[in-house]
Amino acid sequence: MTGELNRVIEQVSKEKGIDKAIVISAIEEMMHSAARRTFGERNIESRYNSELGEVELFEIRTVVDQVANPQAEATVDEARAKYDPEAEVGDEILIKLDTATMGRIAAQAAKQNLIQHIRDAERKQIFNEFKDRKSEVVSGIVQRFERKNMIVNLGRTEAILPEKEQIPHERYRQGDRIRALILDVDLSEKGLSIVLSRTANEFLCKLFEQEVPEIYEGIVEIRQCAREHGGRAKVAVYSKDSDVDPVGACVGMKGTRVQAVVQELRGEKIDIVPWTDDQAELVCRALAPAKVSKVIIDEDEHAMEVVVPDDQLSLAIGKRGQNVRLAHRLSGWKIDLRSDSEAEEEARAARASLNAIPGIGDINAELLYQWGFRTAEQLAETAEESFEVEGISPERARQLILAAREWVAKKHTDEEAAAVAAAQAAAEKAEADAAAAAASADSEVAAEGGVEDDAGTDGASVNEEEDAAAKS
């Protein structure tokens, strides 16, 4: 080592962005590794001397009365004579080693060790820089492709954009600039890993945050977001200020703000809807541009039955079910879409099933229908203690449930009897068909035998006539 070591440390620290103390620690470790190769298994310590600009090596020995290990111990007399006149038993003395005696192989190994330490320190430095930048949008340059995964140069390091995190049908070439969301940052034995994403819902939210000042300032919030990357997205927004229209703020003048986001996403269509705490109303807004006629909520199943006009059904479903899927993801509710005509037909069938119960009456049947009962079987399966319908007393409820169970049991008995009768009729018909087929086969055989007998008789008559003619 020479006095230029100080300058080298400064240069490496600036170029790699690594703290000087880390570089010095790596150099000390490098020298310690080289010394162990040269001097063997001794108790050696390396220290960087900034005044001399070099790393000094010291062998540590313990002062003892009797030496058991010459490489680690020294007597009091020896220590006082050679190293420290005031040495006492139990003291540790430092013996400076000559670094010039280290060989070429040890120096090469030390160099590799230093490079590895600096690389590790650089990785840790970059990890500390990026670990707090998760969910942040960064810009980089496409470096290369590895098995359909995109390697992006972020400046000081590289990140990977996996195939599954890429928007379908997007095409990038080497050298193109790309923006993506930092999805994950991990430092392991294999090295530093930074994973990017362009398909995450949060990527869309961050793009709006960059384009819409009201979102950045916190006046407008994106309450929920749902995407089918590369196709369509729905965003529910809410304004904390009654004077600020959340949808208008996101759309911008002549649509400039939302168009900037659409352009970044390569034409992905974006629907912006105002958020509301009324979940039924939120589902109606999420199904836009389709109009909704009626919504029936099932709190227990966390589901909604949504009825739309017949001409709006295909619009509500969307291309390949895209619109209703996004509405489901945006609201978090299961959505069962029905047309008006289909809903009316189901309502007629449900009322007819309930009215078939003896003694139920039209009013009770309508009350049960409004509370979600659709068939007599559903009422029969209901436990009496859990039955709660406003407008029907517990005693009347018990009567209705018992009547429903009796009617359902009778219905099942009649259905079983009808099935048995139908099976018997089918068996009798099969037997009759088999008998008719057998009779037909016998008649055909008899007819064929009669034809053969006639042919034999005619032959005999001809022979007799020939014999008579010969005699005459």
Side-chain angles (χ1 to χ4, degrees), residues 118-184:
I118 291 178
R119 284 178 180 172
D120 291 343
E122 188 177 11
R123 287 195 190 105
K124 289 180 182 178
Q125 188 80 8
I126 296 172
F127 172 74
N128 292 330
E129 177 185 340
F130 280 91
K131 69 178 182 180
D132 297 327
R133 296 179 63 184
K134 285 185 183 180
S135 303
E136 182 180 320
V137 175
V138 293
S139 178
I141 297 174
V142 178
Q143 194 80 8
R144 63 186 183 278
F145 294 89
E146 294 180 357
R147 297 180 182 177
K148 296 184 179 181
N149 297 328
M150 190 185 301
I151 307 302
V152 181
N153 187 349
L154 299 181
R156 291 189 59 193
T157 187
E158 292 180 345
I160 183 172
L161 181 62
E163 181 185 8
K164 65 178 182 179
E165 300 296 338
Q166 300 174 24
I167 297 177
H169 312 304
E170 276 193 344
R171 294 293 177 266
Y172 285 92
R173 294 177 297 178
Q174 188 175 1
D176 289 348
R177 182 162 288 278
I178 186 173
R179 285 205 291 174
L181 181 85
I182 297 179
L183 190 64
D184 187 32

Side-chain angles (χ1 to χ4, degrees), residues 313-357:
L313 183 60
S314 59
L315 188 62
I317 294 173
K319 185 178 180 181
R320 298 177 182 175
Q322 188 182 68
N323 195 57
V324 69
R325 277 199 308 273
L326 289 174
H328 157 65
R329 294 176 191 172
L330 191 74
S331 63
W333 287 75
K334 298 177 184 176
I335 300 175
D336 184 14
L337 275 178
R338 304 291 173 91
S339 63
D340 280 335
S341 58
E342 186 181 357
E344 289 174 3
E345 182 61 31
E346 288 183 355
R348 281 196 296 270
R351 289 187 173 97
S353 178
L354 293 171
N355 280 317
I357 301 173

Side-chain angles (χ1 to χ4, degrees), residues 73 228 255 267 275 309 325 336 344 349 360 378 403 413 416 420 428 432 440 455 467 472:
E73 298 173 344
E228 287 197 355
W275 172 270
R325 277 199 308 273
D336 184 14
E344 289 174 3
I360 188 170
Q378 187 177 356
T413 302
E416 291 174 359
V420 171
E428 292 174 357
S440 176
D467 292 340
S472 62

Side-chain angles (χ1 to χ4, degrees), residues 224-226 232-237 270-276 278-292 295 304 306 308 315-318 321-333 335 337:
Q224 195 58 267
C225 174
R232 197 178 197 90
K234 289 184 181 288
V235 181
V237 293
I270 301 175
D271 297 334
I272 303 174
V273 298
W275 172 270
T276 175
D278 186 345
Q279 296 300 298
E281 178 63 24
L282 179 63
V283 169
C284 295
R285 294 177 183 179
L287 286 171
K291 297 179 181 178
V292 176
V295 177
M304 293 189 188
V306 181
V308 298
L315 188 62
I317 294 173
Q322 188 182 68
N323 195 57
V324 69
R325 277 199 308 273
L326 289 174
H328 157 65
R329 294 176 191 172
L330 191 74
S331 63
W333 287 75
I335 300 175
L337 275 178

